[in-house]
Amino acid sequence: MAKTQTLKFEGDELTVTVDNGVDAKGNPMQTSWTVSAGQLGKHRAMFPEIEADNAVKAKADAVVAADAEVAKARGGK
Amino acid sequence: MRGRADITRFAGVRVPSSDFEAVNNGLLIQYEFTEIDLTNARSIAAGTQLEVPYEGNVIYADQNADVGNCTIIFQDTAKSLSKPARLYVQPGSNFQIPFTRFMLENTAQAGKVMRLFYGVDIEFKPGNTNNVQISGTVNVAETGSSYGASYKSTTGLAANTPDTVVAPGTNVNGLKVWKARWANRSATVAGFLAKASAPATVIDGDVIVGTNMDQYSSGGSASSSGWLDTPVIIPAGKGLYFISTTLEAEAYRSVLYTVL
């Protein structure tokens, strides 16, 4: 069903959008996820396209690493 | 007096954290206490304050039911009597303030006493055996929920063809769903399901959100909607899906969630 998929960072927040064309009335059919920096590491397996785009992958690596540092500083795992 | 390093040690018994050598030699007291009748009022203004010539650096007010309240000004003999502020003392009060004397003021409290335990370098750690009671009106402010990710879709689904909101493999420690709602046209039964694999029908899994409202028009078209009543945690290993029994001509659904 999915036709095109775009991945876009706004700050450290990633939005994954799947464009599925238009419905019978001509309305765009889209499905998207917006994932915060703290949730990005847990969502990477769900969006393997992240690894296919070098720029997105580099940004995702940086965001996940920074979040890990924040969690560590807060005493988390 | 022997130092700590000279204390005879026994196998399996650690050196005590409190200096019992000093206690045993009379250099440190365990604790002293005094009991003051609060029946009659005392105040500095009236010249009726009670001046107590006890010294120490720790003082604790007993929590028994017969203990009232008072105010105390801790002092050292070298200090002015007028500068320190009054400290309110109630059952359970515990101060670590060096003093060589203190002044006590109180309102008249028939049948009540102030029972004070005091000493030097003693750590009073009273347990609280009282129940906590809240009286009067408690105002609760809704602060909202902090979600970690969102899903939204306007993609109409084919009959019994689920859309994956969160894949089961992503849910390793649980998935908290804060909000979920959907509305569509031409599909009368649909909903969000939790399951370890893709569902095949609207009841093939745990129904997180079913159909709350159906609406049929005379022309034969139908619309329906559903929403999550309260946040729910989906157990680890299960994904979150949306599925409809019939083709959705128009669709709108959204989820706010946090992967735990």
Side-chain angles (χ1 to χ4, degrees):
Chain A
M1 178 185 291
K3 291 185 177 178
T4 59
Q5 181 161 322
T6 57
L7 296 89
K8 182 181 178 185
F9 271 102
E10 287 190 14
D12 290 341
E13 197 172 70
L14 175 66
T15 296
V16 179
T17 303
V18 179
D19 186 350
N20 292 307
V22 296
D23 62 20
K25 288 190 170 182
N27 299 312
M29 294 200 297
Q30 288 186 325
T31 299
S32 68
W33 291 258
T34 300
V35 181
S36 65
Q39 293 272 290
L40 185 56
K42 296 175 178 176
H43 279 80
R44 285 187 77 152
M46 209 167 109
F47 303 117
E49 294 79 6
I50 292 173
E51 320 306 327
D53 185 317
N54 286 337
V56 172
K57 181 179 184 303
K59 174 68 175 176
D61 288 344
V63 170
V64 171
D67 182 67
E69 283 299 313
V70 171
K72 187 178 177 183
R74 288 174 177 168
K77 293 179 180 177
Chain B
M1 175 180 165
R2 292 177 298 170
R4 177 167 294 232
D6 301 322
I7 296 174
T8 303
R9 303 188 69 168
F10 299 93
V13 179
R14 64 181 173 82
V15 176
S17 56
S18 297
D19 195 343
F20 275 101
E21 286 284 309
V23 172
N24 290 334
N25 288 335
L27 299 175
L28 282 177
I29 58 173
Q30 288 184 297
Y31 60 81
E32 300 280 3
F33 85 98
T34 185
E35 187 172 290
I36 300 162
D37 185 359
L38 301 179
T39 301
N40 299 316
R42 298 179 178 89
S43 73
I44 295 173
T48 56
Q49 76 276 12
L50 182 64
E51 298 189 15
V52 185
Y54 298 153
E55 64 275 351
N57 59 10
V58 181
I59 194 163
Y60 162 67
D62 189 21
Q63 296 192 66
N64 205 342
D66 63 342
V67 175
N69 57 69
C70 66
T71 57
I72 279 182
I73 297 177
F74 291 107
Q75 295 181 321
D76 182 80
T77 49
K79 298 280 179 68
S80 163
L81 296 179
S82 61
K83 286 182 180 176
R86 293 170 174 81
L87 285 166
Y88 181 72
V89 181
Q90 62 184 350
S93 291
N94 188 0
F95 302 104
Q96 296 184 17
I97 300 173
F99 59 93
T100 55
R101 56 194 295 187
F102 61 82
M103 283 197 300
L104 182 146
E105 297 173 285
N106 65 277
T107 58
Q109 298 163 61
K112 295 289 185 180
V113 299
M114 178 51 64
R115 189 175 301 110
L116 296 169
F117 295 86
Y118 62 95
V120 176
D121 294 345
I122 300 167
E123 289 188 58
F124 287 103
K125 294 180 178 176
N128 186 358
T129 56
N130 298 325
N131 292 323
V132 175
Q133 295 183 333
I134 300 173
S135 60
T137 302
V138 177
N139 294 319
V140 178
E142 177 57 64
T143 57
S145 53
S146 177
Y147 54 90
S150 70
Y151 158 93
K152 52 273 183 189
S153 180
T154 54
T155 302
L157 300 179
N160 295 316
T161 305
D163 190 25
T164 303
V165 178
V166 178
T170 301
N171 181 10
V172 177
N173 297 309
L175 172 67
K176 186 151 193 173
V177 181
W178 299 100
K179 277 187 176 293
R181 65 182 305 152
W182 62 270
N184 61 21
R185 215 167 49 76
S186 303
T188 57
V189 178
F192 288 97
L193 297 180
K195 193 172 180 245
S197 59
T201 73
V202 289
I203 57 168
D204 182 18
D206 307 328
V207 178
I208 304 302
V209 180
T211 299
N212 295 68
M213 187 171 70
D214 289 340
Q215 191 171 32
Y216 295 88
S217 70
S218 59
S221 65
S223 62
S224 56
S225 61
W227 53 90
L228 183 66
D229 296 320
T230 55
V232 63
I233 294 177
I234 296 172
K238 292 187 177 182
L240 181 64
Y241 301 89
F242 183 83
I243 189 168
S244 171
T245 53
T246 54
L247 173 69
E248 293 182 306
E250 286 180 272
Y252 169 75
R253 54 186 177 273
S254 60
V255 181
L256 299 178
Y257 66 94
T258 299
V259 178
L260 303 175

